[in-house]
Amino acid sequence: MLAKTSYASAHNSPGWGKTVPDTVSGVVLDEYGNPLKGVSVTVKGSPDFVTTNASGRFVINAAVNNVLMFNYPNYNVTEVVVKNNKGLTVRLIDSYLKSPEKINILYGTAFTSKNIGAISTVYTNQLTTTPATLYTYALPGQLSGLYTQQISGFAAPQTTGQTHADFIGNVVNHNNYSENDNTEFFLSLRGQAPITVIDGVQREISSLDPESIESISVLKDGLSNILLGINSSRGVLLVTTKRAQAGPPRISFTAQYGMQQSLGLPTPLSAYQYAYLYNEALQNDAKLPIYSSSDFNAYRNHTDPNRHPDVNWFKTILRDNSPMTSYKLNVNGGSDIARYSVSLNYLDQAGIFKTDASVPYNTNNDLNRYIINSDLSVNVTKKFNVDLQLFGRIQQATQPGPGYNSILSTLFTTPNNAYPVYNLNGSFAGTTNFTNNLLAQTEFSGYQRTSSNDVLANLDLKYDMSSVTPGLSAIGKSNLSFSSQSVINRGLQNNAYLIKADSTYSAVGTPVAQANAFGSVSSARYFYAQGALNYDRQFGKHNITGMLFYDTRSVTLNYDLTAVTTNRALKAGYNYDDKYFVEAAVNYSGYNRYPPHNQNGWFYAGGLGWQMGKEDFIKNNFSGINSWKWRADYARTGNANVDNFGYYNFLQTYSASNGYVYSTGNSRAPVQGYSENALANPLISWEKADKIDIGTDIAFGSNHFKINADYYHDRYSDLLQIRGNSIALLGIPYSAENLGINLVQGGELSLTYQNNIGNFNYFLTGNGSIQSTKIIFSDEEPSPYPWLRHTGNSPGAIYGYTAIGFFKDANDAATSATTTGYTAQAGDVKYKDLNNDHVINQFDISNIGNNKPLIYYGFSSGFSYKGFSLSFIIQGVGNRQILYNNPIVNGFEGIGFLGLTYAGQGYEALTGRWTPETANTATLPRLSLGNANNTANSTLFLRNGNYLRLKNAEIGYNIPYSFAKKLRLSGIRVFANGENLATLYGYKGIDPEVYGIAYPIQRVFNAGINIKL
């Protein structure tokens, strides 16, 4: 047998270039058809191996029917049966999960084995299986410590200006708008909204093409984020895009087409049910019914659709399916001197509204986007590298003339029996209460279009200064980006017509001619500059690292004065024999919107690490353990969220008020008065946090099984709050002060197993997080009862009354505690009298939910076998509750006009209302119009918010290379995937994430093809 050799010795073996007895030669290629260097080639069952050379070629002693195994980091293991001694061509496919030697950290990279921070990462293949408009759709369930909740199924385009241009006392009023294209997901990293950093620059852009993203990491501990200084408390969502790499051109094109379906829409009552229950509500309120038996018959039998309509408006104006298409082109390659990367992306997502072919423009909501992301890297000299990245985005978000949120609000409040779609003469139907026909609003009311344009340029400079001293290097980074949004309003409103008793029609509402208005929504300019000296040098078993760091970031939003953040930091590290690690950092950081005497502060962090797996007592007794690292760090961090509480609020400002108009002079002419805004706080400062993280990383079983676990204890202090015990004598609002203290603590666990059985490569990975948040101090108003205090509870706790059923009869209602000023009746909600004063009032409100530690978790698994692949992601949340209290479940949606002659739509939940016959099974109180007692926040409307969702699944097939090669292609892959495919949850009838009057979550079925050249 051939002894163990390197690729060089294999290259020089006598059999290279020609076949000798019992040898097999071949070439190993990647998914682009380019040679792979360093692939291990082994005859199965033999310890001998060879590695491929720079051309991907190998020669190995093997006989016919032997099995060759091909192993390469982050690629699937491939086995090939030797059928003859002719040259083999083997193509390796990259694995779903990655385990690179280096990971991305804030403003750099680090060896995984040396990192002592709490970092979780996903890579390209874990992102591209999700068909969506934003990469944030791929994050749920995949990163421990990151909690996600979808809050909308479609982007929310801005249509109004985001700041005001009026100056008062030389201080501009603003509303703290910042550019962020993620309006569909709420993200929380260990209880804080993370800061997004893309390629080393802070920008809130979520519409990147997942195929152009190399990795997404969450940096959870204070040491990992300390270079953010005054903003280091929040944690980081770190996005790294694919950069230019040397090699032959790698071209990838992907085309996808998907269909969307709305989830969680409520079931409206039919016209007959609505009329019946509405009559019942009137009778319960001692009022005369308004629907007769003939009305019931007409609604039930649909004999008079013009005067007794039964229109399911959800089915009338909403589509069952909506298309979504995307096309992606990625090109990468170059030489050792100059390298390039270009990514092009087009996406079109249609909305849920129906359209009419006779209208010459699109009235549906639609998201249309073009993105280009390019990177050019040049080695100017052997020591000097220049990298230029350019990013551009053009996006248009269209919606019906009134806006889709307005239409959804009207949809949810319009009863089936309000009016027909059309009158008999073909005009839009309406009433004096419903003056704008829903179909007319959706399909015939023009459109609004918000246009967004973004341009971003990154310039990175790297200089090797090892000639000064080994291990020294310098980096420089600059970024300039512009963003603007504008809106075109071409909306209109049509007349609606009411049929009168004499069968004639009268117009209702006010028609509005089609507008042609243009407005500026926002404009923003961002600038970032960074300079650093890095030192990394090995002295035998001693390794010393250091960084001297400076950066500045300025943001100019609309009319605001420029906001500037500055960091000046020193970071140092030491490790001995890759076994013992010490790291520390200090940052003098500031923000110019604090008082001039208090704009800068010191922030610091330190950490220790121990690679216990290298100790003799582990190596000699537990041979299966490949690595066992312990790590711990502490940090004092900051959070500069002063803009959320005012604009330069250490200065006193004034504004005009219509309430201050004085008559002056002989003619008693009115003069506008001015009054103080909220009281200025000249002592305002940043919020602070003391963060502790203790974790361990274990790998065993030849690195097939990995465990990562963390415990964290984050104490947030000096939180900005308004004093609860302030008195009203001042006459103006009090300012926020640095008062509050919160504690966030929890644990995270990730498990990964990855292996193969022959060509069957498979993986299983899961993660779970438990997070407890508690208010340690809040300056509350004095309360006479302990259950009224919020201190000690979670900031997200739910407060309300404790419902203990319904009054069973008139005597029960008369003798029980009731709401002040309300005469209770049988069937009303009965509340617990916590202070036993026989009155239900504000003193009987307590914490009723969301006070347990939040649990969120994810599980993913998959396999690949001879070109076939399957993967799925499951996401879940536990200990979560929802206060779902709105007329969709508690009564008729909307309260009426003209002395309660009208109420809004009713929904299926109302069939569970209390009646004398259903007293033992009722889920809702008796029906009533405008009964505040029965609709108060209480445990009656507390819902189980736990859920388990099949978030994503994909099946794919790689066409054999021999076939693709005949088409002059490197690879062809066809696939089908889906999003939000199935959900198990505690309360039926609503979606556990997006519920109420909101754009519904979308289930997506998607198919596509990927072609590599």
Side-chain angles (χ1 to χ4, degrees), residues 670-905:
V671 174
Q672 177 67 63
Y674 287 82
S675 62
E676 301 94 337
N677 294 323
L679 186 67
N681 179 6
L683 303 178
I684 195 166
S685 183
W686 49 87
E687 300 177 341
K688 303 172 183 65
D690 294 281
K691 311 184 79 171
I692 297 173
D693 183 276
I694 300 173
T696 187
D697 307 312
I698 307 172
F700 56 92
S702 299
N703 287 308
H704 292 305
F705 198 175
K706 297 182 179 180
I707 301 174
N708 307 96
D710 281 272
Y711 165 78
Y712 61 93
H713 182 281
D714 299 342
R715 186 177 187 272
Y716 295 88
S717 58
D718 286 347
L719 302 181
L720 284 172
Q721 298 175 354
I722 296 176
R723 290 188 183 274
N725 58 4
S726 299
I727 60 176
L729 293 179
L730 184 65
I732 62 173
Y734 284 81
S735 61
E737 300 177 67
N738 296 100
L739 301 172
I741 302 174
N742 285 353
L743 176 64
V744 182
Q745 58 183 336
E748 298 155 2
L749 178 66
S750 297
L751 305 174
T752 301
Y753 184 76
Q754 190 171 14
N755 209 339
N756 73 288
I757 303 173
N759 283 314
F760 185 81
N761 292 265
Y762 62 97
F763 70 90
L764 303 95
T765 179
N767 70 84
S769 304
I770 183 169
Q771 175 185 304
S772 172
T773 307
K774 182 186 293 186
I775 299 173
I776 302 299
F777 175 78
S778 177
D779 193 75
E780 300 183 78
E781 294 182 12
S783 57
Y785 305 105
W787 59 80
L788 298 177
R789 292 187 60 81
H790 290 200
T791 300
N793 294 330
S794 167
I798 299 172
Y799 296 87
Y801 296 113
T802 300
I804 54 176
F806 308 114
F807 294 114
K808 59 184 179 182
D809 51 37
N811 181 62
D812 188 20
T815 58
S816 300
T818 57
T819 304
T820 303
Y822 176 72
T823 302
Q825 298 183 36
D828 284 342
V829 184
K830 186 176 183 179
Y831 299 114
K832 188 174 183 179
D833 183 12
L834 296 183
N835 62 349
N836 296 315
D837 65 353
H838 210 67
V839 175
I840 301 299
N841 56 20
Q842 70 271 24
F843 297 120
D844 298 298
I845 294 175
S846 66
N847 167 235
I848 58 174
N850 267 356
N851 214 26
K852 295 181 179 179
L854 180 66
I855 296 173
Y856 47 101
Y857 53 91
F859 173 79
S860 63
S861 183
F863 70 86
S864 65
Y865 178 73
K866 293 186 176 181
F868 288 97
S869 63
L870 173 69
S871 66
F872 63 87
I873 300 170
I874 293 175
Q875 174 215 6
V877 177
N879 280 352
R880 175 173 175 261
Q881 293 173 301
I882 301 170
L883 184 64
Y884 193 59
N885 183 14
N886 60 45
I888 296 176
V889 295
N890 70 18
F892 292 96
E893 176 66 58
I895 296 300
F897 306 103
L898 304 179
L900 291 177
T901 58
Y902 147 71
Q905 178 61 291

Side-chain angles (χ1 to χ4, degrees), residues 162-174:
Q162 296 303 298
T163 58
H164 307 288
D166 51 323
F167 285 78
I168 301 170
N170 294 324
V171 176
V172 62
N173 292 327
H174 86 150

Side-chain angles (χ1 to χ4, degrees), residues 227 471-475 532-537 543-549 569-574 582-585:
L227 292 182
L472 185 65
S473 63
I475 63 172
L533 285 176
N534 290 294
Y535 184 71
D536 188 343
R537 190 170 179 183
N543 177 253
I544 298 175
T545 61
M547 172 187 279
L548 187 62
F549 177 87
L570 176 64
K571 191 175 183 181
Y574 168 79
V582 179
E583 192 171 320

Side-chain angles (χ1 to χ4, degrees), residues 209-225:
D209 173 17
E211 285 190 24
S212 68
I213 296 176
E214 174 192 300
S215 67
I216 297 179
S217 303
V218 285
L219 282 54
K220 298 174 281 189
D221 62 302
L223 178 61
S224 297
N225 301 312

Side-chain angles (χ1 to χ4, degrees), residues 71-235:
N71 286 272
Y72 193 67
N74 298 313
Y75 280 76
N76 289 329
V77 175
T78 299
E79 294 189 358
V80 176
V81 178
V82 178
K83 296 183 179 179
N84 52 57
N85 58 4
K86 296 180 180 179
L88 292 175
T89 298
V90 179
R91 182 180 60 172
L92 300 187
I93 303 299
D94 57 337
S95 59
Y96 185 85
L97 300 182
K98 304 289 186 185
S99 299
E101 291 185 354
K102 283 190 171 184
I103 59 173
N104 294 299
I105 60 175
L106 188 62
Y107 307 133
T109 60
F111 284 98
T112 306
S113 60
K114 299 179 181 180
N115 175 62
I116 60 173
I119 300 176
S120 299
T121 305
V122 292
Y123 295 90
T124 308
N125 288 346
Q126 294 165 274
L127 303 171
T128 54
T129 60
T130 299
T133 57
L134 306 174
Y135 68 72
T136 48
Y137 277 86
L139 300 181
Q142 297 215 73
L143 293 164
S144 63
L146 182 68
Y147 174 72
T148 66
Q149 181 188 343
Q150 190 168 356
I151 56 177
S152 175
F154 198 83
Q158 296 287 345
T159 58
T160 58
Q162 296 303 298
T163 58
H164 307 288
D166 51 323
F167 285 78
I168 301 170
N170 294 324
V171 176
V172 62
N173 292 327
H174 86 150
N175 63 0
N176 194 33
Y177 167 77
S178 62
E179 183 72 18
N180 190 334
D181 65 351
N182 173 27
T183 59
E184 296 159 69
F185 274 87
F186 165 73
L187 303 178
S188 175
L189 183 58
R190 290 186 173 179
Q192 307 295 313
I195 293 173
T196 302
V197 176
I198 303 174
D199 292 331
V201 178
Q202 182 178 332
R203 279 300 305 273
E204 300 295 334
I205 298 176
S206 296
S207 56
L208 300 177
D209 173 17
E211 285 190 24
S212 68
I213 296 176
E214 174 192 300
S215 67
I216 297 179
S217 303
V218 285
L219 282 54
K220 298 174 281 189
D221 62 302
L223 178 61
S224 297
N225 301 312
I226 197 64
L227 292 182
L228 289 176
I230 204 168
N231 289 305
S232 55
S233 289
R234 289 171 52 190

Side-chain angles (χ1 to χ4, degrees), residues 369-521:
R369 177 192 299 144
Y370 299 86
I371 292 177
I372 180 171
N373 190 16
S374 67
D375 179 50
L376 177 63
S377 180
V378 178
N379 293 337
V380 180
T381 68
K382 291 183 178 180
K383 296 185 177 182
F384 184 40
N385 175 263
V386 177
D387 188 285
L388 177 64
Q389 182 185 17
L390 297 175
F391 173 87
R393 176 177 59 173
I394 299 174
Q395 179 173 287
Q396 289 186 335
T398 302
Q399 54 182 329
Y404 75 71
N405 281 321
S406 174
I407 292 177
L408 288 175
S409 179
T410 305
L411 170 65
F412 276 77
T413 57
T414 302
N416 283 23
N417 74 338
Y419 54 88
V421 179
Y422 292 104
N423 291 311
L424 294 177
N425 65 352
S427 62
F428 291 118
T431 70
T432 53
N433 294 326
F434 296 94
T435 61
N436 196 354
N437 183 286
L438 247 179
L439 183 69
Q441 291 185 55
T442 307
E443 300 183 16
F444 301 95
S445 290
Y447 65 92
Q448 297 182 57
R449 178 169 297 153
T450 301
S451 297
S452 304
N453 299 291
D454 296 88
V455 177
L456 177 152
N458 283 340
L459 180 64
D460 291 271
L461 308 176
K462 297 180 182 179
Y463 188 75
D464 183 355
M465 301 178 65
S466 56
S467 58
V468 177
T469 184
L472 185 65
S473 63
I475 63 172
K477 175 188 284 289
S478 64
N479 165 268
L480 184 63
S481 56
F482 298 90
S483 176
S484 67
Q485 290 190 78
S486 61
V487 63
I488 294 176
N489 184 353
R490 295 199 171 102
L492 61 92
Q493 181 171 322
N494 294 279
N495 253 338
Y497 293 87
L498 168 69
I499 185 171
K500 297 191 293 186
D502 59 359
S503 298
T504 61
Y505 296 94
S506 63
V508 292
T510 304
V512 178
Q514 187 162 25
N516 188 20
F518 173 86
S520 177
V521 174

